[in-house]
Amino acid sequence: MPTQKILSIIGWVLSGLLGAALVMTAGMKFFPPEEMVKQMKDSPLLGWILIIGIGELVSTILFLIPRTSVLGTLLLSSYFGGAIVASMMQRESILVPAIFLVLIWTAALLRLPE
């Protein structure tokens, strides 16, 4: 197997895993668990949670479709940039959104070497 093909397969596997995780977290925004609502009760983002979930879901779908994956990568980069800023404002760790962001860039680079 050529090296580029192996890298592409790794990129697709990583994209699939990221896509599954992002669809799950978007679903949690459509039907937020009670503890999530309690945790966010004072946050101004609570009123926007459905819109945020829709944006996350649309961005993920665009990321997974080969023809629109560049746009999806840009949108997810913006989404996770916002997640990093929101975490910083809440004085929470930025580690999880930063890791997701790096994994998205890595998957995109492996899938789209051009």
Side-chain angles (χ1 to χ4, degrees):
M1 236 185 221
T3 305
Q4 185 55 43
K5 186 167 183 160
I6 292 171
L7 292 176
S8 179
I9 291 170
I10 292 169
W12 275 106
V13 169
L14 184 56
S15 294
L17 293 171
L18 287 166
L22 293 171
V23 166
M24 184 182 72
T25 60
M28 288 178 61
K29 290 173 183 76
F30 294 122
F31 306 103
E34 182 90 19
E35 61 193 49
M36 183 175 155
V37 173
K38 285 180 184 176
Q39 183 182 7
M40 293 183 68
K41 71 176 181 172
D42 295 330
S43 173
L45 294 178
L46 185 59
W48 291 91
I49 197 79
L50 184 61
I51 301 298
I52 293 169
I54 291 169
E56 181 180 5
L57 185 60
V58 169
S59 299
T60 300
I61 291 168
L62 291 172
F63 173 70
L64 294 173
I65 298 171
R67 187 172 228 168
T68 59
S69 59
V70 172
L71 176 60
T73 301
L74 291 173
L75 290 172
L76 285 174
S77 295
S78 299
Y79 174 81
F80 279 104
I84 289 170
V85 170
S87 295
M88 291 170 71
M89 291 177 68
Q90 298 290 327
R91 300 188 191 273
E92 297 174 354
S93 173
I94 65 166
L95 189 60
V96 173
I99 289 172
F100 266 93
L101 186 55
V102 169
L103 290 174
I104 287 165
W105 291 339
T106 302
L109 180 64
L110 291 173
R111 281 176 46 200
L112 308 162
E114 65 276 351

